[in-house]
Amino acid sequence: MRNAAVTGHPIGHSKSPLIHGYWLKQHGIEGSYIAQDVPPETAEVFYGSLAEHGFVGCNVTIPNKEHAYNSAEKLDDAAKMIGAVNTLWLDEAGVLNGSNTDGLGFLGNLDQMLPSWDNNGNKAIVLGAGGASRAIIWALLSRGYTEVYIANRTLEKAQKLADHFGPNTIAITWDTLGEKLGEADLLVNTTSLGMTGQPELNIDLDNLSKSAVVTDIVYSPLQTKLLRDSAERGNPTVDGLGMLLHQAVPGFEKWFGVRPEVTDELREIILKEM
Ligand code: ATR
């Protein structure tokens, strides 16, 4: 029996056990996936001894993604560029591998919900410069986007990301966002604005081309103000729930040997729990 877990602190609210539990049952796999509270102080020791704890791997969430990055003996490209690890697995040789699947989750969601999403062009605007932003910038660059504008309340953080990711990424201030919107083929919110309990994301969409795709990583509520306003003016939109579901796919495949599908039924199950 193979066992995996989602680890973080606190961990009670994670939807990951529901997602992986659904797939384990769907595929008739005798395995387990639990929520395991791992305080940051003990995280690196824990990740360094996953097998002793009975796990073949785990997901990693707040506040342990950098600890997992430090613990991994082998990192893939995504983890290296994003600078954080959300998925760990022990390979056949017992080596602890680390990846960051948030960017793949972002792409998987758009590919599934709007297969033509990247046919528009190669210019994107990413709102926010935190961990999620790093994963999405990596994803867009790996898909061939050549102009990725990073708009953030704190310009220095956007500039740091632009320096890290190179000449195809450009930091802009929140104030100049309006001008840049006219050029964008894709607009992504990676900030927490619009999430239940947070202030709304209020931006003037007047200059945004009607063909630009708009997506949000916030999935609670499913239809954020950004997505509602965009849909109302005719822009194609994709909500953030699928990113959560798709980021889980690579881990499940590594731990249990089956590549699972993100089904409508799974979406419904998670929606009911929100
Ligand atoms: P995550 O890892 O989920 O991306 P994070 O690292 O805390 O989370 O980043 C949160 C992002 O939301 C940041 O870009 C933050 O902007 P700052 O870098 O200026 O802090 C942005 N954000 C959060 N609250 C905000 C607010 N009230 N107005 C504008 N931006 C906000």
Side-chain angles (χ1 to χ4, degrees):
M1 169 144 158
R2 297 169 75 81
N3 305 308
V6 58
T7 63
H9 184 77
I11 202 62
H13 298 297
S14 173
K15 302 277 184 289
S16 293
L18 266 177
I19 300 170
H20 291 279
Y22 168 84
W23 285 330
L24 284 170
K25 197 167 158 210
Q26 186 188 32
H27 293 281
I29 294 170
E30 258 194 69
S32 78
Y33 185 100
I34 61 165
Q36 171 91 38
D37 190 282
V38 175
E41 305 78 48
T42 58
E44 292 187 21
V45 173
F46 180 87
Y47 298 132
S49 54
L50 272 185
E52 287 87 330
H53 285 89
F55 296 115
V56 294
C58 65
N59 281 127
V60 180
T61 187
I62 295 167
N64 291 344
K65 290 186 185 185
E66 285 179 20
H67 292 304
Y69 178 93
N70 294 335
S71 304
E73 296 168 90
K74 204 167 152 191
L75 296 166
D76 68 6
D77 262 8
K80 281 183 204 159
M81 283 309 286
I82 298 165
V85 158
N86 75 343
T87 305
L88 287 167
W89 69 95
L90 290 160
D91 63 22
E92 304 77 41
V95 174
L96 186 64
N97 284 253
S99 179
N100 189 310
T101 65
D102 286 334
L104 288 180
F106 172 79
L107 296 175
N109 182 31
L110 286 167
D111 287 342
Q112 183 174 37
M113 303 309 273
L114 194 68
S116 62
W117 73 277
D118 59 353
N119 291 348
N120 280 355
N122 296 322
K123 291 189 190 179
I125 297 182
V126 175
L127 307 176
S133 173
R134 288 176 81 98
I136 288 169
I137 294 166
W138 171 83
L140 292 173
L141 294 175
S142 71
R143 248 329 149 83
Y145 276 74
T146 50
E147 283 178 59
V148 178
Y149 293 92
I150 311 164
N152 197 46
R153 172 178 61 180
T154 318
L155 180 64
E156 295 77 34
K157 278 170 77 179
Q159 190 55 55
K160 239 178 127 179
L161 285 199
D163 293 344
H164 172 72
F165 282 106
N168 291 341
T169 53
I170 304 112
I172 59 171
T173 62
W174 206 257
D175 301 338
T176 54
L177 184 59
E179 301 159 27
K180 282 285 165 227
L181 277 179
E183 299 172 27
D185 306 303
L186 174 73
L187 173 64
V188 190
N189 175 44
T190 77
T191 74
S192 46
L193 294 173
M195 195 183 285
T196 307
Q198 297 287 321
E200 289 289 8
L201 171 64
N202 264 314
I203 56 172
D204 183 351
L205 296 174
D206 279 355
N207 291 338
L208 185 68
S209 153
K210 291 278 195 318
S211 63
V213 174
V214 181
T215 184
D216 204 323
I217 68 158
V218 172
Y219 57 84
S220 179
L222 206 51
Q223 293 302 320
T224 58
K225 180 176 180 333
L226 173 68
L227 295 184
R228 288 196 313 270
D229 290 352
S230 302
E232 210 162 278
R233 62 197 294 287
N235 289 90
T237 63
V238 177
D239 69 62
L241 180 59
M243 179 172 164
L244 171 75
L245 305 177
H246 280 275
Q247 63 77 30
V249 168
F252 190 91
E253 188 177 16
K254 292 285 182 204
W255 309 317
F256 302 114
V258 177
R259 188 164 180 86
E261 297 271 320
V262 173
T263 60
D264 288 344
E265 186 185 35
L266 176 58
R267 268 181 77 89
E268 290 306 320
I269 289 169
I270 303 303
L271 276 174
K272 259 191 233 142
E273 294 295 321
M274 291 198 323

